[in-house]
Amino acid sequence: MPSHSACPALDDRITALQQLAHAEPRLEGVLLYGSWTVGEADAHSDIEAYLYVADEHVESFDGRKFLARLAPLELAYVNMYGVLAVVFDDLMRGEFHITAAGPGIDEVPTWEGMVHLPRPEAAVLLDRTGRLTRAARHLATLRPPEPVGTARQLMDELANWTLMLAHVLARGETARAHALLHTVIAPQQLQLCRLLRDSTAHWLTPSRALEQDLPDSDRHRYTATTAAARAQDVRHAARESWRWSRDLCAEAAGRWGVQVPGRLHERISDLLETCR
């Protein structure tokens, strides 16, 4: 049985899912991932799991009907990523990947570096053959991103997207610039910041637990890049964002010897200064 999280309601739902899975002969395995598996689940957490269906039953397995036996569903649909997303009657969310066991379980070790399962046996709710547990053990060690190549990639991304941001601002598209700033540029800044602070546990969702993971100085720099979707505010935030990006790039260059395209950076700065 899985170990307990900090949320009894979530524990109860996971225990019920495990019992239901064991009673469903078409399932070969069930693997949890996300906040529950790294000990961060709370009353606001959802359930994220892979349901590995025996290959010969994939076409006949109805994920909605299966999950409705777990708890009444307020919503169930296949989202933009092809994942079955549900909302239970107590407003707990869930995301369930329903996949053929054969190729699906073989893919699990390839997630190394992207998914962390510190207690693989606890994340495996069902394993009829032993294959899933063996595969999950590949994810037991958290492997941080390789710093030099990752820093170079993020530095290039920040220059490219900030240049686009400057052009969009110059065109007067405030809403589009606002979206670029907050949904494209900010996550890459936070990843570069995490890389520099040796704090990559929340790499794939770099804003998660930002208040606990990063120093106040970084949090204040991040806050300065946020803005309401008003033209003047977005322009100011864009300039603050680029200043922080340049500071992060300079720090990465000093630490790992990554080359900064200085002339391009200056030209982007000049372009942003004209957007007032």
Side-chain angles (χ1 to χ4, degrees), residues 47-212:
I47 299 178
E48 300 164 302
Y50 277 78
L51 305 183
Y52 292 105
V53 184
D55 295 5
E56 64 273 21
H57 295 300
V58 170
E59 296 302 322
S60 64
F61 184 79
D62 189 325
R64 291 174 177 85
K65 287 184 179 179
F66 173 77
L67 293 169
R69 291 156 55 195
L70 182 61
L73 301 178
E74 293 288 332
L75 179 68
Y77 74 103
V78 176
N79 69 17
M80 66 183 76
Y81 304 108
V83 177
L84 178 58
V86 304
V87 176
F88 297 104
D89 62 338
D90 57 359
L91 299 186
M92 183 181 288
R93 296 177 58 255
E95 292 187 355
F96 297 89
H97 304 249
I98 299 173
T99 186
I105 293 175
D106 288 343
E107 184 184 54
V108 171
T110 69
W111 301 345
E112 194 170 359
M114 296 183 291
V115 175
H116 182 212
L117 302 178
R119 300 187 312 277
E121 284 76 9
V124 175
L125 299 189
L126 172 68
D127 185 8
R128 298 195 193 277
T129 66
R131 293 176 59 223
L132 184 55
T133 301
R134 290 193 297 272
R137 286 176 182 149
H138 287 267
L139 310 178
T141 302
L142 178 62
R143 301 189 185 281
E146 186 281 318
V148 178
T150 305
R152 183 181 295 112
Q153 175 75 25
L154 289 168
M155 291 164 65
D156 290 346
E157 295 280 10
L158 287 170
N160 178 56
W161 288 109
T162 305
L163 177 58
M164 181 178 181
L165 173 66
H167 286 307
V168 168
L169 282 171
R171 191 183 291 135
E173 294 184 86
T174 299
R176 188 181 178 196
H178 182 268
L180 272 172
L181 190 61
H182 294 91
T183 64
V184 178
I185 295 171
Q188 294 169 342
Q189 285 176 314
L190 289 174
Q191 284 189 325
L192 183 53
C193 185
R194 284 184 175 279
L195 197 66
L196 287 161
R197 304 294 172 259
D198 299 311
S199 179
T200 57
H202 297 113
W203 182 254
L204 294 182
T205 309
S207 60
R208 183 178 178 88
L210 179 150
E211 294 81 2
Q212 290 76 47

Side-chain angles (χ1 to χ4, degrees), residues 8-23:
L10 185 60
D11 278 344
D12 291 345
R13 187 62 47 82
I14 290 170
T15 298
L17 174 61
Q18 186 173 43
Q19 293 170 346
L20 187 62
H22 275 270

